[in-house]
Amino acid sequence: MKRRLLAVALLTLAPLAASAQVAERLIDTFDATDGERNVNIYVQFRCSILYTSHAPLDFGSSVTIRLRPGVDCGAAPGSTERPLLSGLSTMVKSARLEEAVPGTYELQITWTRDQHFVLAPAANARGIRLRLLDVFQGPRGSISVNEGADATSGYAINLQSATEKFSDAELDVASKAIGMPVRISTIELEGRVWYRLRIGPIAGRRDAERLLASAQTQYPRAWLAIDDEAPVPGDALAVPAGVGVNTVVDPPLPAKERAALLESARVAMSRRNYPQAIEQLTKLTRQPEYPQRARAQELLGLSRERSGQLAHAKAEYQEYLRRYPQGEAASRIRQRLRLLASAGRSGRSGTLSGGEGDLDKAWQIDGGLTQFYRWERAELTTAGETTSQQSQNAVYTDADLLARHRGDTFDVLGRFSGGYTKDLRPVTSGDQVRVSYAYVEINQRERGLDLRAGRQSRSSGGLLGTFDGLFGSYQWRPRVNLSAAAGFPVESTRNSVATERQFVGLAAEFGPFHEKWDYGVFAVSQRNGGQVDRLALGLEGRYFVPGRTLVGSVDYDVHYQTLNSLALLGNLQLPARWMLSANLDHRRAPVLTTRNALIGQPVATLRDLLGLFSPSEIEQLAQDRTPQSDLVSLSLGRPLGERFQLSIDAFGYRTGALPASGGVAAMPALPFDKTLQLQLSGNSMLRSSDLWVVSLRYQNSPTQTIESLGLAARLPIAGAWRLGPRVRVDRRTGGVDVLTETLILPTLRLDYQRGNSWFELEGGAELGKRTLPADEEKTKRYYFGLGYRFGF
């Protein structure tokens, strides 16, 4: 019996002994960037992570993602993780990863406002991709406004109103005075038709207000119009049928004269004589439609942008997209609008010199610094003896820095994101340094070319996360993007550049089509120590519509002639406000590579392994050490009234058998690990903006059964301060000679968040009691955390 108790004690203390090393965090990188219309979020993990479910399903200001660490994660830490939010997006506020119940983690990502979103696991099982949909409603390629069409709803600057129609000369004077195209709109008021001299429509209010301030120097009575031109049935102020919006059109010039003006404007731009270029290009854009007008419109926007007239530049770019939504330059113009939008957001970007008008001449600096202190101590009492262990006492420091410079021809972006862990315990294996990103990117705006060199991360195109090397992309057509990558895979962000493994990848992205779906194909060749490591072909498809989403991926290894992964994730809006989410995932976990043959072997490289086995034997070992896994999940959710949200999650997971080979013992197949979870959340129960969550969970695994009850709250207390009490009770049966076990986990958290900066204080405990065949065992764990983030 003493031996049995000793075995149980050793099993319990094994994680504590492992924690003599610096605790490894599960999240390697967290990146959030603004796209043309969406915000793209990518979370990369240091090991295989299996997605099981998420809630809410497709709309809200946050999402909670439930995850299961893979076998290659080892003994994952049970503490809270606050990853550094890197990237340029200002939408994302915070992210937190913490253990929900043993073996399952919850990742909560919060953004600034309610938003439709879609979510999908990365094809390599080491990442999560999240897309916030239609965040930026400005330039949309699907909107086309032609001359003579009804006015578009939005902002406009009303320069002057009169009961008589403005002459062409008055239009010309106004256009030259403002430096932008001016149009005439009409409206009927009390039986009289009024003519309005206007600029617009304009997509954003900030741009409209800037233009208004500029226009009022020439037209003191100018005012801002908001949504007053869209026809509304029954509205007495609606635009009469047949009355259109007219833009200034000059008499047509001979083709040779237009060509000479365009060439002269190009020369003026090359000499940075932007006023002359703007004058000549404005004449060309006032011409009736002709083949080179689209090019003149683009160059006019570019000239205004380089001269520092950012609001005018945005208006010219938006005019291009209204006229030519499928034009050759549409894709790069949307990218310029995104850059201009990010440059104009307050509270996010700074410059080393100059201001908004000197954008081309200044370096812009963005970034953040995060520090988190974590203290944790655990003790075990069994057979009348108590053993304690200082499992954590460390400071985690992370920094992210982005420097951008926008030039006449090229844009340059430099980025560094890394961290340092200082272990403060007397006995330790040493500190850790992590480098997640360290690259320089050059973008040629005119041709849609991008080139990036250094440490970077990609979650699509068959690439398996972080690598050191080169990545390039080319916007060949408005809906066709070609890319290539080459370099050295990075096993861990704690590692320096390793050249033993090399890869080359090619990919093509197509879409979006009808603003709903896109897809991509890829091919990847990877070698390790002279051996084929991975040779894969794949297909990725995405269908994004609020209420209906579908994401799928296939990865097939042509060298091993086996399916590496097949994943399908979909959401569907049902009647009565129910939302259904389903996930089918069949894969090799980890990804099948020849390098997997090293698992359980006494050597560290494939070159060394070739001294023990032949190449064909090594490839067989790689297959023998790479299990197949299957995961099936279903989630149902619906709001209950205005305050409550109900979610029901059911999922099952299993792994296949592994044969004995190469001196490594066999592993039997595991039956389905089945879990059912119910969660009810309510807000504004006791006071405005509070949040309460009750969760029930039942898990039946091959080794034990877990029943769990949890209660959590988020309570605003003063200003941006919030208090977060939480308690969870677990009851487990089964295990190694353990009849029953009860765990009580209370936690109290205090945090303050303003913009992209936050402060957090957290303390908690884990109190356990195990009933053994002939004895009783008690465990205690106490932890404390203190951290902050400063963004600039």
Side-chain angles (χ1 to χ4, degrees), residues 88-240:
L88 288 174
S89 179
T90 59
M91 276 289 293
V92 181
K93 294 172 59 177
S94 64
R96 176 196 303 278
L97 179 75
E98 54 194 352
E99 192 176 28
V101 294
T104 300
Y105 284 75
E106 290 186 350
L107 172 63
Q108 184 181 63
I109 303 173
T110 305
W111 46 91
T112 56
R113 63 177 184 267
D114 285 342
Q115 201 73 40
H116 285 285
F117 65 88
V118 291
L119 181 148
N124 62 356
R126 294 183 66 166
I128 292 291
R129 289 183 289 181
L130 178 67
R131 178 175 293 180
L132 307 183
L133 299 174
D134 294 329
V135 174
F136 310 109
Q137 296 286 354
R140 297 183 58 162
S142 60
I143 298 176
S144 176
V145 179
N146 300 316
E147 294 176 18
D150 288 338
T152 301
S153 174
Y155 300 99
I157 307 301
N158 198 94
L159 301 176
Q160 191 174 342
S161 301
T163 55
E164 295 183 3
K165 187 175 181 180
F166 294 98
S167 66
D168 291 343
E170 289 174 308
L171 283 173
D172 185 60
V173 169
S175 180
K176 289 182 178 179
I178 302 301
M180 294 189 66
V182 177
R183 61 181 173 84
I184 297 175
S185 73
T186 58
I187 189 170
E188 184 175 345
L189 296 174
E190 299 179 352
R192 176 178 294 183
V193 175
W194 286 81
Y195 297 88
R196 295 166 161 180
L197 204 58
R198 288 200 161 190
I199 307 170
I202 304 163
R205 184 179 185 110
R206 178 174 296 180
D207 296 335
E209 289 174 345
R210 289 174 180 169
L211 284 173
L212 175 62
S214 175
Q216 285 175 335
T217 61
Q218 302 291 328
Y219 293 85
R221 300 182 65 181
W223 51 275
L224 180 63
I226 305 174
D227 288 344
D228 67 346
E229 293 183 302
V232 179
D235 187 347
L237 300 183
V239 179

Side-chain angles (χ1 to χ4, degrees), residues 354-505:
E356 189 178 77
D358 299 318
L359 188 60
D360 288 333
K361 305 178 181 65
W363 281 93
Q364 288 184 276
I365 304 297
D366 301 272
L369 174 69
T370 298
Q371 279 195 310
F372 202 90
Y373 171 73
R374 183 78 180 192
W375 179 94
E376 185 175 313
R377 189 171 188 84
E379 62 181 49
L380 168 69
T381 301
T382 183
E385 297 183 3
T386 299
T387 304
S388 62
Q389 173 75 48
Q390 183 76 56
S391 50
Q392 278 200 76
N393 186 14
V395 177
Y396 300 90
T397 302
D398 293 273
D400 189 52
L401 182 67
L402 300 99
R404 295 178 297 165
H405 182 272
R406 304 185 67 245
D408 292 332
T409 305
F410 295 97
D411 295 337
V412 180
L413 170 68
R415 179 175 182 183
F416 173 83
S417 181
Y420 174 71
T421 301
K422 177 64 179 177
D423 196 340
L424 302 175
R425 293 172 296 178
V427 179
T428 176
S429 60
D431 302 334
Q432 292 179 356
V433 175
R434 304 177 305 278
V435 177
S436 301
Y437 293 98
Y439 64 79
V440 174
E441 178 178 329
I442 299 176
N443 169 255
Q444 214 284 345
R445 288 176 288 171
E446 297 282 338
R447 302 185 180 276
L449 289 170
D450 286 281
L451 181 63
R452 180 184 293 183
R455 175 160 294 188
Q456 53 195 290
S457 182
R458 306 289 297 183
S459 62
S460 59
L463 304 183
L464 303 180
T466 303
F467 65 93
D468 294 314
L470 298 173
F471 174 82
S473 68
Y474 171 51
Q475 193 69 39
W476 183 45
R477 292 287 188 271
R479 290 192 176 93
V480 181
N481 183 275
L482 307 176
S483 64
F488 313 106
V490 174
E491 184 66 22
S492 170
T493 55
R494 292 172 290 128
N495 298 343
S496 58
V497 179
T499 60
E500 184 72 13
R501 290 189 296 163
Q502 315 93 30
F503 80 93
V504 175

Side-chain angles (χ1 to χ4, degrees), residues 299-312:
L299 292 178
L300 179 56
L302 189 60
S303 296
R304 291 194 179 278
E305 180 183 348
R306 292 178 178 174
S307 66
Q309 302 173 9
L310 301 187
H312 294 74

